[in-house]
């Protein structure tokens, strides 16, 4: 397993960072990124640069913004992270946004930032063969392709392993899921449904969840609600950061949900039932929420947080068949070393 650092500005590239993060994990490697300690552009410089130097490879993602320049520095943190990787001789994989992609005006730079960004881009173009992306899925694919290749210089190519890892037989899990899901859908009160998909990271729990959404659940929605109305809303919601206390994790989880569905809302999300009143979900009969949880970040709050989230936050007694159907996937990733004990804690 290699340690791969993901570097970019944050606010404008959240979804793209998430896609790169998942691609690295699905390749069986450890992704190191700012979300591990703070989810904002103004991250701790010393910590970031130390993490870069201790990684086996570097991913640089550049869109339009140059990024936050910390006090006492003349370059952005993203630029400093790149230079730290270069100075250490770490292989750099560079991904640039296709300039034809429409971009939110709020994330377009002013003249001074644009100048700095263009200078940084010119440096990247000079030093590297870079790949362009035009969507989060496109970036994930390019990351997978990039780390599936071998360079001509073995000294510059970390031991990243094969692109395709062990394929596992998910058919028994598929049958159990389908029986569980369709059985619940026949009930009059369509309570939220919770599904745990667990396995070694190389067994790709994320891919299995994606396959369920794009195959059987998509077909079910069309058959149940028709081609025009049977549209699924599927979204990834980040699990709370490691190292917070229980109350902070509760607050962050609720915030992450509301921020994804309605980032402009002035309200505080106290119960999941409030999601039914959001305009963003009004046209969707089936809403799928994905949470990826990694055993490497498992702490004493993990089980209490899951219990609170399922039993209290979602409050099953409040739901009826006038609301969207909510399906929550918990994708539990663990290594072989973590496997014994982890599932006992989770399902006891």
């Amino acid at each position: 397993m290699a340690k791969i650092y993901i570097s970019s500005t944050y606010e404008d590239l959240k979804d793209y960072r998430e896609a790169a993060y998942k691609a690295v994990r699905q390749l069986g490697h450890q992704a190191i990124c700012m979300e591990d300690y703070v989810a904002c552009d103004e991250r701790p410089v010393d910590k970031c640069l130390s993490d870069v130097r201790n990684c086996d490879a570097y991913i640089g993602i550049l869109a339009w913004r140059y990024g936050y320049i910390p006090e006492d520095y003349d370059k952005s943190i993203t630029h400093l992270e790149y230079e730290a990787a270069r100075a250490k001789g770490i292989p750099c994989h560079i991904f640039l946004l296709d300039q034809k992609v429409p971009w939110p005006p709020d994330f377009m730079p002013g003249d001074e930032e644009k100048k700095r960004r263009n200078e940084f881009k010119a440096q990247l173009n000079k030093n590297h063969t870079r790949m362009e992306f035009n969507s989060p899925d496109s970036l994930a694919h390019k990351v997978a392709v990039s780390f599936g290749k071998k360079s001509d210089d073995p000294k510059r190519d970390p031991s990243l392993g094969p692109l395709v890892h062990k394929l596992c037989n998910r058919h028994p899990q598929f049958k159990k899921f389908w029986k569980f899901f369709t059985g619940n859908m026949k009930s009059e009160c369509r309570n939220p449904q919770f599904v745990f998909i667990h396995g070694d990271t190389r067994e790709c729990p994320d891919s299995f969840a994606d396959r369920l959404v794009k195959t059987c659940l998509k077909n079910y929605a069309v058959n149940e609600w028709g081609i025009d109305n049977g549209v699924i809303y599927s979204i990834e919601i980040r699990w709370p950061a490691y190292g917070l206390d229980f109350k902070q994790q509760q607050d962050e989880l609720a915030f992450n949900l509301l921020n994804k569905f309605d980032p402009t809302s002035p309200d505080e999300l106290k119960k999941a039932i409030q999601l039914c009143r959001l305009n963003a979900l009004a046209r969707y009969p089936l809403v799928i929420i994905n949470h990826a949880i990694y055993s490497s970040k498992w702490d004493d709050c993990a089980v209490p947080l899951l219990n609170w989230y399922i039993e209290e936050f979602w409050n099953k007694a409040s739901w009826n068949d006038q609301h969207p159907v909510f399906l929550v996937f918990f994708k539990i990733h663990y290594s072989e070393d973590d496997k014994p004990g982890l599932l006992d804690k989770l399902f006891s």
Side-chain angles (χ1 to χ4, degrees):
M1 176 188 293
K3 293 171 64 176
I4 302 173
Y5 192 89
I6 299 175
S7 175
S8 77
T9 51
Y10 178 73
E11 292 295 338
D12 55 330
L13 289 169
K14 288 181 183 178
D15 292 342
Y16 293 84
R17 294 178 59 83
E18 186 76 34
Y21 183 92
K22 289 173 62 176
V24 168
R25 297 293 302 190
Q26 288 176 359
L27 288 169
H29 305 303
Q30 181 180 2
I32 307 298
C33 52
M34 70 177 74
E35 289 88 344
D36 292 333
Y37 31 85
V38 60
C40 67
D41 285 306
E42 300 181 24
R43 49 203 187 269
V45 181
D46 292 343
K47 172 65 175 171
C48 293
L49 301 186
S50 175
D51 284 347
V52 171
R53 297 184 186 106
N54 288 317
C55 281
D56 302 301
Y58 166 95
I59 288 176
I61 307 169
L62 184 68
W64 285 100
R65 293 185 57 225
Y66 179 66
Y68 170 71
I69 301 176
E71 187 177 355
D72 298 328
Y73 289 87
D74 61 355
K75 297 177 181 177
S76 70
I77 297 182
T78 305
H79 199 159
L80 293 169
E81 289 169 341
Y82 165 72
E83 291 191 339
R86 287 276 293 173
K88 189 74 173 179
I90 296 170
C92 295
H93 301 251
I94 306 301
F95 303 89
L96 304 182
L97 176 71
D98 184 339
Q99 303 297 280
K100 298 188 293 293
V101 174
W103 207 244
D106 289 347
F107 294 140
M108 295 300 290
D111 291 342
E112 180 60 30
E113 184 177 11
K114 185 176 181 180
K115 178 182 177 182
R116 286 177 173 271
R117 177 262 187 192
N118 288 342
E119 292 172 349
F120 183 28
K121 180 181 177 182
Q123 182 182 2
L124 297 175
N125 286 333
K126 178 181 178 181
N127 294 334
H128 306 280
T129 301
R130 75 286 186 283
M131 304 179 76
E132 291 192 345
F133 61 90
N134 55 30
S135 68
D137 287 343
S138 166
L139 176 61
H141 174 71
K142 297 295 176 65
V143 168
V145 170
S146 180
F147 284 96
K149 294 180 179 180
K150 294 290 183 180
S151 70
D152 296 331
D153 181 0
K155 294 181 180 179
R156 302 285 294 174
D157 188 23
S159 179
L160 297 175
L163 176 62
V164 180
H165 289 294
K166 174 178 60 177
L167 297 177
C168 57
N169 179 13
R170 293 287 194 179
H171 186 65
Q173 285 179 296
F174 174 88
K175 290 176 64 178
K176 286 183 179 180
F177 165 78
W178 195 238
K179 181 179 179 180
F180 169 81
F181 175 76
T182 55
N184 286 329
M185 290 300 293
K186 293 176 182 177
S187 65
E188 294 183 4
C189 182
R190 294 178 176 176
N191 289 333
Q193 301 187 41
F194 305 95
V195 178
F196 287 84
I197 301 174
H198 58 87
D200 184 299
T201 295
R202 296 191 178 194
E203 294 173 1
C204 299
D206 290 315
S207 296
F208 180 58
D210 290 341
R211 192 164 71 219
L212 290 175
V213 172
K214 294 175 181 178
T215 56
C216 63
L217 289 172
K218 179 180 178 181
N219 293 335
Y220 180 92
V222 171
N223 291 334
E224 182 73 10
W225 296 291
I227 295 178
D228 294 333
N229 298 320
V231 181
I232 295 175
Y233 190 116
S234 180
I235 192 166
E236 188 81 24
I237 305 294
R238 182 173 292 278
W239 199 246
Y242 173 77
L244 302 178
D245 64 32
F246 183 62
K247 180 61 168 59
Q248 289 173 321
Q249 290 192 21
Q250 288 177 308
D251 292 343
E252 182 172 317
L253 187 49
F255 173 81
N256 289 348
L257 277 164
L258 186 60
N259 189 53
K260 275 287 190 177
F261 287 118
D262 188 2
T264 63
S265 174
D267 300 326
E268 184 178 357
L269 191 62
K270 295 292 187 181
K271 294 287 185 180
I273 193 69
Q274 294 172 241
L275 297 174
C276 298
R277 297 195 289 268
L278 298 179
N279 291 332
L281 301 181
R283 66 180 293 257
Y284 299 101
L286 179 58
V287 178
I288 299 172
I289 295 173
N290 297 272
H291 296 294
I293 306 175
Y294 296 92
S295 63
S296 60
K297 299 182 181 180
W298 202 262
D299 60 18
D300 293 339
C301 294
V303 172
L305 184 65
L306 281 167
N307 288 335
W308 166 82
Y309 186 57
I310 294 172
E311 298 297 333
E312 296 184 35
F313 183 77
W314 283 91
N315 191 13
K316 295 180 181 179
S318 302
W319 300 83
N320 59 58
D321 58 7
Q322 301 302 312
H323 298 143
V325 176
F326 283 87
L327 176 61
V328 182
F329 284 128
F330 297 100
K331 299 172 294 189
I332 312 296
H333 298 247
Y334 49 72
S335 67
E336 285 301 319
D337 292 338
D338 299 322
K339 185 175 180 178
L342 176 64
L343 296 183
D344 292 338
K345 291 178 182 178
L346 183 60
F347 298 115
S348 61

